[in-house]
Structures are given as structure tokens and as C-alpha cells.
């Protein structure tokens, strides 16, 4: 098995894809499992940014493993156990969030595994800046946000970087929220309202699609959701649109703000104003 120092040297030279045997891959999964446990215990030790970055990088690798091995109950349970500890760390070290976000954003890892972390960091930063929810509610939302896209595991790998999907690929993408619920339900203690957030965290897709195509948008009262669902969904939307994809450039902040305003203005006017201000503040730090 390749030594970590050799792997790091190859990575620094620009090699970001490696092929390993099934035996070695099993060893890597075990190592990443152990590293996640260790990095959680070290969150309160040493430099806050360094320990937080270390945890997130290892969490990101474990998320990629979970997407490949979504029936791995031990790994899912470990993520469930460690994420609240990290959220407590975030709440105590809110000034590190922009740097943590930048580090993950710049990581040479596929966006599918970065996105849950980026959206969750943005979510906690927004919540804590305006004291929207209690500490425990924030911990619950961070966990839900981290796991909300597990259903993407059914999307064929060869479609991850494509803009135009075939019928099967599009169906897998459309159903990923429901699949996430099915993969999480009764496996870890997520309350029913949390499962609702996961199922509906793309409730705004039709509005976004029509806005970007300059089509008429009619307000649908059936799409009004609670503030927890709305903020979680918009944190995902904002960070996804602000991040590049293999098939598109990132959207300008002004476009993102217009879309969030369109979604929030009628039922969440105060949160609309707060989010607009926060988007300006947060991305100025990036």
C-alpha cells in the first residue's frame, strides 16, 4: 500500500485520481473512519482553524466513502455522532468559518462531496450571525444539511460533470431528495421535521429555472415552507450557484441575491433583508 508521504507528493504534483485494489480501498476506509474519530477529539486542541480544517477534510473524504457505500451503518452512525461536536466548535469559533469555507472551496475534491459542507458552513454562519435558532436547533440543522444529498449516490458517476442528462440520470437527480430520506429514515435519529427539510430542500428549483430563462414566475402558495426548510434550502442554493461546476462558471452575487429575494420577499421579508446583507458580507471575505 502506498505510503501517505508518497501520496501527498503525487497530489502536490497534480495527480488527483488514484486507482487502488479492493483490499487497499478497504484499508483506506478503515483509516478514514479512525481519522474522523481522532480529528473530532482534537477539535479543542491547538489552533482552531487548523483543527477545524482537518476535521472537515476528513469528513469530506468519509462523505465520499458513504456515497459509494451508502449501506455502511457504522460510518453513517459515526458521522451522526461527530458532526454535533463540530457544530459546537463552529459556534465557539465563528470567525474561522470564512477561512474554513475557502479551504473546502479550494480543495481538489469533486464538488459533489464539497457542496454539503459548503452549504452547511454558510448555513451556520448565517444562523449564528443573526441568532435565528437555538444552539441545539443549529446543531440539528447542520447535521441535516450535511446528509441531505446522500441520495445523490444513485446518480451514475459518468453524469456528475454533465449539464445535459439522459432520462435515467435526470430521474435519479430529481429523486435524490426522496432517496436521501429513505436512506436515512430509521437508521439514525432524525426527527420527522428534519426529514421534511431534506425532502423539500430543492422546493425552489422551478422558480430558479424560470428566473434564469427569463420566464414568467407565478407564486405557488403550496411551495411555502417553514423557516428551517427555507433557510437550509437557500444556503444550499446560494453556495451551489456561487461555486463553479465543470459545465458552468459561478453565478454573479447580484444574480444570486435577486433569486433569494424572489423566493423570500413575500413570506419572509425580514429574513430576506438579513440574507441579502449576509451574502454581501460573507462573499466579500472569500
Amino acid at each position: 500500500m502506498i505510503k501517505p508521504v508518497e501520496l501527498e507528493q503525487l497530489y502536490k504534483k497534480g495527480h488527483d485520481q488514484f486507482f487502488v485494489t479492493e483490499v487497499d480501498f478497504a484499508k483506506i476506509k478503515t483509516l478514514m473512519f479512525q481519522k474522523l474519530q481522532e480529528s473530532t477529539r482534537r477539535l479543542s486542541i491547538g489552533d482552531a482553524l487548523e483543527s477545524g480544517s482537518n476535521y472537515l477534510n476528513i469528513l469530506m473524504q468519509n462523505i465520499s466513502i458513504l456515497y459509494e457505500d451508502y449501506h455502511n451503518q457504522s460510518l453513517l452512525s459515526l458521522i451522526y455522532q461527530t458532526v454535533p461536536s463540530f457544530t459546537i466548535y463552529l459556534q465557539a469559533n465563528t470567525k474561522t468559518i470564512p477561512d474554513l469555507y475557502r479551504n473546502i472551496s479550494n480543495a481538489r475534491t469533486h464538488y459533489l462531496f464539497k457542496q454539503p459542507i459548503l452549504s452547511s458552513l454558510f448555513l451556520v454562519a448565517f444562523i449564528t450571525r443573526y441568532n435565528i435558532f437555538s444552539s441545539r436547533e443549529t446543531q440539528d440543522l447542520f447535521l441535516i444539511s450535511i446528509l441531505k444529498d446522500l441520495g445523490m449516490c444513485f446518480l451514475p458517476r459518468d453524469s456528475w460533470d454533465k449539464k445535459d442528462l439522459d432520462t435515467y440520470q435526470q430521474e435519479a437527480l430529481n429523486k435524490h431528495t426522496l432517496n436521501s430520506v429513505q436512506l436515512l429514515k430509521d437508521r439514525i435519529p432524525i426527527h420527522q421535521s428534519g426529514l421534511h427539510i431534506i425532502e423539500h430542500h430543492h422546493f425552489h428549483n422551478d422558480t430558479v429555472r424560470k428566473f434564469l430563462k427569463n420566464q414568467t414566475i407565478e407564486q405557488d402558495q403550496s411551495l411555502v415552507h417553514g423557516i428551517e426548510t427555507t433557510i437550509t434550502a437557500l444556503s444550499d442554493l446560494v453556495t451551489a450557484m456561487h461555486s463553479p461546476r465543470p459545465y458552468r462558471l459561478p453565478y454573479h452575487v447580484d444574480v444570486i441575491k435577486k433569486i433569494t429575494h424572489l423566493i423570500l420577499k413575500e413570506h419572509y421579508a425580514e429574513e430576506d433583508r438579513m440574507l441579502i446583507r449576509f451574502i454581501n458580507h460573507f462573499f466579500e471575505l472569500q
Side-chain angles (χ1 to χ4, degrees):
M1 185 172 175
I2 190 169
K3 297 179 180 178
V5 64
E6 296 171 341
L7 191 63
E8 183 178 0
Q9 289 172 351
L10 289 171
Y11 185 80
K12 288 180 178 178
K13 291 179 180 179
H15 301 283
D16 54 8
Q17 294 188 31
F18 302 92
F19 297 91
V20 297
T21 65
E22 289 187 12
V23 173
D24 283 344
F25 186 54
K27 292 179 181 178
I28 291 172
K29 289 196 290 186
T30 299
L31 178 63
M32 288 296 102
F33 188 94
Q34 294 170 348
K35 290 288 186 182
L36 188 58
Q37 292 174 311
E38 294 171 5
S39 64
T40 306
R41 290 194 292 265
R42 296 184 63 84
L43 280 172
S44 59
I45 301 174
D47 180 75
L49 178 59
E50 183 178 348
S51 58
S53 296
N54 185 50
Y55 173 85
L56 285 180
N57 280 309
I58 295 171
L59 175 64
M60 186 163 53
Q61 298 310 315
N62 277 282
I63 287 174
S64 71
I65 293 170
L66 185 62
Y67 278 38
E68 294 279 353
D69 187 14
Y70 48 84
H71 289 306
N72 189 328
Q73 184 60 41
S74 296
L75 179 54
L76 178 60
S77 296
L78 181 62
I79 292 173
Y80 171 81
Q81 293 162 11
T82 66
V83 164
S85 296
F86 180 74
T87 316
I88 293 172
Y89 151 88
L90 277 184
Q91 291 169 317
N93 297 276
T94 55
K95 290 183 179 179
T96 66
I97 296 179
D99 289 327
L100 291 171
Y101 186 99
R102 187 183 307 108
N103 291 346
I104 295 298
S105 182
N106 292 334
R108 287 165 55 191
T109 303
H110 198 276
Y111 74 84
L112 198 65
F113 311 126
K114 294 196 290 187
Q115 179 57 30
I117 294 176
L118 294 176
S119 63
S120 302
L121 287 172
F122 184 93
L123 174 67
V124 171
F126 178 57
I127 289 172
T128 54
R129 183 173 180 85
Y130 295 105
N131 296 311
I132 299 173
F133 301 120
S134 69
S135 176
R136 181 55 190 270
E137 289 169 331
T138 303
Q139 292 169 34
D140 290 343
L141 284 175
F142 187 83
L143 175 67
I144 288 164
S145 181
I146 286 289
L147 294 173
K148 65 184 180 300
D149 287 323
L150 180 56
M152 290 289 283
C153 66
F154 295 122
L155 191 65
R157 181 177 285 272
D158 61 0
S159 66
W160 289 0
D161 296 342
K162 292 167 57 178
K163 180 180 180 180
D164 299 314
L165 306 179
D166 62 32
T167 302
Y168 173 77
Q169 294 165 348
Q170 188 63 54
E171 184 178 7
L173 179 62
N174 293 342
K175 289 184 175 180
H176 87 270
T177 58
L178 285 171
N179 286 333
S180 294
V181 171
Q182 293 303 313
L183 287 171
L184 295 170
K185 189 177 182 180
D186 299 326
R187 294 180 65 194
I188 54 175
I190 293 184
H191 46 76
Q192 191 59 42
S193 59
L195 295 175
H196 175 90
I197 293 171
I198 292 172
E199 181 178 349
H200 297 284
H201 75 271
H202 284 303
F203 74 86
H204 47 59
N205 275 7
D206 190 55
T207 299
V208 175
R209 179 180 59 80
K210 288 181 178 179
F211 176 87
L212 295 176
K213 291 184 177 182
N214 293 315
Q215 296 177 347
T216 302
I217 300 172
E218 298 178 0
Q219 293 295 330
D220 186 347
Q221 297 302 315
S222 68
L223 295 182
V224 179
H225 293 274
I227 190 60
E228 295 91 346
T229 301
T230 302
I231 289 179
T232 303
L234 290 184
S235 294
D236 191 47
L237 172 67
V238 168
T239 53
M241 293 189 72
H242 193 263
S243 303
R245 295 291 184 258
Y247 47 84
R248 65 158 174 80
L249 295 172
Y251 288 93
H252 193 277
V253 169
D254 289 341
V255 174
I256 299 172
K257 289 189 295 185
K258 287 179 182 178
I259 292 176
T260 60
H261 173 65
L262 186 64
I263 295 168
L264 288 172
K265 63 180 182 179
E266 185 171 352
H267 298 281
Y268 294 111
E270 183 178 358
E271 287 77 8
D272 177 26
R273 290 189 291 270
M274 290 191 299
L275 185 57
I276 294 291
R277 289 197 302 268
F278 185 74
I279 289 172
N280 287 331
H281 166 75
F282 190 81
F283 291 119
E284 280 178 359
L285 301 175
Q286 297 305 308

